[in-house]
Amino acid sequence: MASVPSLASTVQQRLAEGLSAALPEAGSADPLLRRSDRADFQANGILALAKRLKGNPRELATQVVDGIPANDVLKEIEVSGPGFLNITVTDEAIVRTLAARAADDRLGVPFTPDAGTTVIDYAQPNVAKEMHVGHLRSAVIGAAMVEILEFTGETVVRRHHIGDWGTQFGMLIQYLIEHPHELDHASDGEVSGEEAMSSLNRLYKASRALFDSDEEFKTRARARVVDLQAGEPETLALWQRFVDESKIYFYSVFDKLDMDIRDPDVVGESGYNDMLAETCRILEESGVAVRSEGALCVFFDDVKGPDGNPTPLIVQKSDGGFGYAATDLSAIRDRVGNLKATTLLYVVDARQSLHFKMVFETARRAGWLNDEVKAVQLAFGTVLGKDGKPFKTREGETVRLVDLLDEAVDRATSVVREKAEKVGLTETEIVENGQYVGIGAVKYADLSTSAARDYKFDLDQMVSLNGDTSVYLQYAYARIRSIFGKAGDRTPVAHPELALEPAERALGLHLDTFGEVVRESAAEYAPHKLAAYLYQLASLYTTFYDLCPVIKPAPPQDIAENRLLLCDLTARTLHQGMALLGIRTPERL
């Protein structure tokens, strides 16, 4: 079905028509329409227009209002102050627009007209290392942006740039050669993520202790790095075992996060090895990079160290080894050349901003990024504890991600259990809903904060039924679904002829802006705007529910049907909006 024009766009169009009828010399002036607390909308474009035409803004505003023919959308236009227009739309227009949205399986949300291909780089754990709280935000924010962009019609390619290369593998592989059974599995059955990680952890600690205490082992381990980089088959096969074992663990964590990570999308640092030498050659031959003290460097006028000397991006070290920059630049070449990306989106910690600024500028100088192809870092802040300091355990260790998620699910399950009897949930439903509520709480706390800001990880607050939490939204959804269980033969039907109560109007006008908010969240890479919209939707629904009876006391048939239309559209908008954030909405809670 075609997308549904929002009330704002319809009002904008009627105003623009009135403007050009009253003032042909105005051309296609923008009425500058926005939502208002004085009326439904306010337009203040006439002030700028009056300045341009050297006229009196109040007189011009009155002329424009007189030039708008009577219609079924605009109920009242009042000229206020120096020439603002306060606009109230008809109840009929609100109900008709909502009915059109309800008739469409996309809720009338349009596709972006100029959709392209975005490669999103997110969820980047390290091989043979445990995922900790620092890995949470990239995964959660990236997964939400995948859903939001795909919903607007963008072609999205996911990329998980895992840390699967580097000198530490010499130590790990050499240790495995000398202790060949360290990664063997206890049984032939399926291995749990926890089991895989504990053998990797044990091996990492043992090899590190040996590396630090035994010079001869250290020499053998360093020689093994050379074998790995040269692609020696036995060494590569053992390296692959570490990668495979780590994936068992990664996938178990992403599974807990209710996240779909697919094997072909995991392209680690090693995936670009064959391109590194060529990347360096292209940069050097084109003069983008120069040799400095034996290293291949890119210099920038505005990047200087504390000593005032320029700090370069080092693409290749003086010993011939490649740095992160060579890998990141090769990844850009691959994503632009082979994946045909128009946007590269990197969901990466704000502390890496300078590195990516230098990498993107280098890629622009090389011609890999240009006006048609852009790269953006969606930089995120740090996860803090309740005390406002970076989140650590009592022992000062970084918190394991698995422990955090398990605790969130435990807390949420007890919240669900308290209410379960009233709704008549089975034990299976309690356990399942506990997972949806717990994981939803963690994701929502992250996504409801602007990504650039740090946020406090406070589980008590996250699983609270009051305030701006996902469980508040999940309960709002379940409450609406329960109404339909009691509605009998009454169904959602639009009645444009009915007058609306203030709470119905407020809810209806907010429902109508869903498409606009999705578009904005996609264009600005700002999932927190969608989260804020959904929280406001649930709050407006709560007010409507308290003031406008739907089932009891039973209103007249037509009013009940009209209110059921509002209920149905609110539930579907909550469900769709939460799905775009990667959060499930249980039918009963």
Side-chain angles (χ1 to χ4, degrees):
M1 200 178 139
S3 63
V4 177
S6 68
L7 282 166
S9 65
T10 308
V11 171
Q12 174 102 351
Q13 197 185 344
R14 298 286 155 94
L15 282 182
E17 287 162 7
L19 261 171
S20 48
L23 306 161
E25 67 275 27
S28 55
D30 185 350
L32 296 179
L33 193 72
R34 58 186 181 81
R35 286 299 301 276
S36 164
D37 48 7
R38 299 233 162 78
D40 296 335
F41 298 98
Q42 187 176 68
N44 43 24
I46 290 175
L47 297 181
L49 187 61
K51 208 171 182 178
R52 203 177 87 207
L53 300 177
K54 303 191 169 39
N56 175 318
R58 262 196 87 94
E59 281 171 21
L60 281 183
T62 309
Q63 251 177 290
V64 170
V65 173
D66 293 344
I68 296 173
N71 60 74
D72 57 357
V73 176
L74 305 176
K75 182 180 180 184
E76 188 186 352
I77 307 180
E78 173 204 36
V79 178
S80 99
F84 298 129
L85 299 181
N86 286 337
I87 300 150
T88 305
V89 294
T90 63
D91 291 353
E92 181 189 346
I94 295 175
V95 176
R96 283 193 192 287
T97 302
L98 296 183
R101 292 199 177 288
D104 178 36
D105 57 1
R106 284 178 56 81
L107 305 172
V109 177
F111 287 109
T112 309
D114 50 354
T117 298
T118 297
V119 176
I120 301 194
D121 188 325
Y122 70 107
Q124 311 104 342
N126 293 312
V127 166
K129 286 194 180 158
E130 195 139 24
M131 288 176 74
H132 55 75
V133 68
H135 290 113
L136 182 64
R137 299 204 73 184
S138 172
V140 169
I141 296 166
M145 282 318 309
V146 168
E147 298 298 331
I148 292 169
L149 287 168
E150 282 187 339
F151 190 64
T152 63
E154 187 79 0
T155 301
V156 177
V157 181
R158 308 147 185 235
R159 276 293 174 266
H160 309 293
H161 191 85
I162 62 172
D164 65 355
W165 204 248
T167 50
Q168 76 274 17
F169 283 100
M171 171 183 95
L172 294 169
I173 293 166
Q174 188 58 38
Y175 189 85
L176 190 58
I177 287 172
E178 296 173 20
H179 304 80
H181 299 297
E182 282 298 302
L183 285 183
D184 292 358
H185 297 147
S187 64
D188 295 337
E190 208 170 294
V191 183
S192 71
E194 201 66 16
E195 192 187 327
M197 194 61 237
S198 77
S199 41
L200 285 165
N201 257 340
R202 194 176 58 244
L203 196 149
Y204 190 89
K205 283 178 180 150
S207 64
R208 166 57 68 190
L210 198 56
F211 187 86
D212 290 343
S213 63
D214 182 334
E215 280 304 319
E216 286 177 359
F217 176 75
K218 188 183 271 188
T219 306
R220 293 196 296 277
R222 287 192 168 141
R224 189 59 58 185
V225 176
V226 178
D227 293 340
L228 177 63
Q229 287 171 342
E232 192 274 315
E234 187 204 3
T235 306
L236 270 184
L238 290 167
W239 165 81
Q240 189 63 49
R241 280 192 71 185
F242 282 100
V243 175
D244 294 343
E245 198 72 11
S246 298
K247 279 183 175 178
I248 296 173
Y249 162 70
F250 295 156
Y251 293 163
S252 74
V253 179
F254 290 126
D255 201 40
K256 260 187 211 288
L257 267 169
D258 196 13
M259 222 171 255
D260 173 29
I261 303 279
R262 302 188 288 240
D263 213 54
D265 303 332
V266 179
V267 182
E269 294 168 7
S270 65
Y272 305 100
N273 283 349
D274 296 346
M275 299 175 73
L276 301 179
E278 193 185 6
T279 296
C280 291
R281 183 178 60 73
I282 295 170
L283 292 172
E284 191 167 10
E285 284 177 5
S286 61
V288 172
V290 293
R291 292 277 164 195
S292 171
E293 296 173 27
L296 187 62
C297 302
V298 183
F299 288 92
F300 308 87
D301 294 340
D302 56 346
V303 185
K304 294 186 167 57
D307 56 2
N309 291 327
T311 305
L313 181 72
I314 298 175
V315 186
Q316 190 177 20
K317 300 174 203 157
S318 51
D319 65 3
F322 299 104
Y324 286 126
T327 307
D328 287 333
L329 288 161
S330 299
I332 290 176
R333 280 178 57 212
D334 175 58
R335 291 164 185 186
V336 174
N338 298 327
L339 302 177
K340 306 291 179 238
T342 45
T343 304
L344 305 177
L345 182 62
Y346 290 78
V347 187
V348 184
D349 192 314
R351 286 169 293 194
Q352 294 191 45
S353 294
L354 179 60
H355 169 78
F356 278 101
K357 183 182 158 193
M358 291 159 85
V359 165
F360 296 163
E361 176 54 31
T362 301
R364 263 191 291 277
R365 291 180 191 176
W368 303 326
L369 298 176
N370 49 44
D371 294 345
E372 276 72 60
V373 187
K374 62 174 180 170
V376 182
Q377 183 193 357
L378 203 180
F380 55 83
T382 310
V383 181
L384 306 174
K386 281 188 195 179
D387 56 3
K389 295 186 179 134
F391 204 12
K392 296 269 196 274
T393 64
R394 285 209 181 89
E395 299 73 44
E397 303 269 315
T398 315
V399 179
R400 294 168 69 217
L401 187 50
V402 173
D403 294 343
L404 206 71
L405 299 178
D406 287 346
E407 192 185 343
V409 170
D410 286 349
R411 293 277 187 95
T413 307
S414 54
V415 170
V416 172
R417 196 177 289 284
E418 276 168 33
K419 297 226 169 198
E421 206 172 311
K422 200 167 142 197
V423 193
L425 296 183
T426 64
E427 183 59 28
T428 312
E429 285 177 307
I430 293 172
V431 171
E432 192 173 84
N433 288 354
Q435 282 175 323
Y436 295 159
V437 171
I439 297 303
V442 170
K443 288 181 177 178
Y444 186 84
D446 190 322
L447 295 169
S448 56
T449 310
S450 160
R453 288 174 47 200
D454 299 344
Y455 84 97
K456 284 186 185 171
F457 196 95
D458 180 348
L459 271 178
D460 296 326
Q461 172 53 37
M462 286 179 190
V463 297
S464 161
L465 300 175
N466 305 315
D468 189 1
T469 63
S470 70
V471 64
Y472 174 69
L473 302 179
Q474 287 166 322
Y475 264 108
Y477 175 78
R479 178 199 268 172
I480 303 173
R481 298 305 310 151
S482 75
I483 288 175
F484 283 94
K486 302 169 194 156
D489 57 355
R490 297 181 170 197
T491 54
V493 180
H495 287 278
E497 72 284 358
L498 289 176
L500 296 177
E501 296 289 335
E504 293 174 300
R505 289 189 62 132
L507 179 60
L509 285 165
H510 190 68
L511 280 167
D512 184 51
T513 59
F514 180 56
E516 251 161 78
V517 172
V518 170
R519 182 185 56 75
E520 213 173 287
S521 303
E524 297 173 22
Y525 307 122
H528 70 279
K529 294 199 165 178
L530 176 57
Y533 169 86
L534 295 171
Y535 173 60
Q536 202 183 347
L537 177 61
S539 307
L540 288 166
Y541 181 80
T542 303
T543 307
F544 157 81
Y545 182 81
D546 291 344
L547 298 176
C548 305
V550 182
I551 307 292
K552 282 183 184 167
Q557 179 89 5
D558 54 355
I559 291 179
E561 289 174 342
N562 215 36
R563 286 178 182 169
L564 281 170
L565 174 78
L566 280 167
C567 291
D568 177 55
L569 194 53
T570 301
R572 287 169 58 198
T573 305
L574 278 171
H575 176 75
Q576 179 63 70
M578 294 289 266
L580 294 180
L581 297 178
I583 300 171
R584 293 187 190 249
T585 37
E587 297 293 303
R588 303 191 326 142
L589 204 53

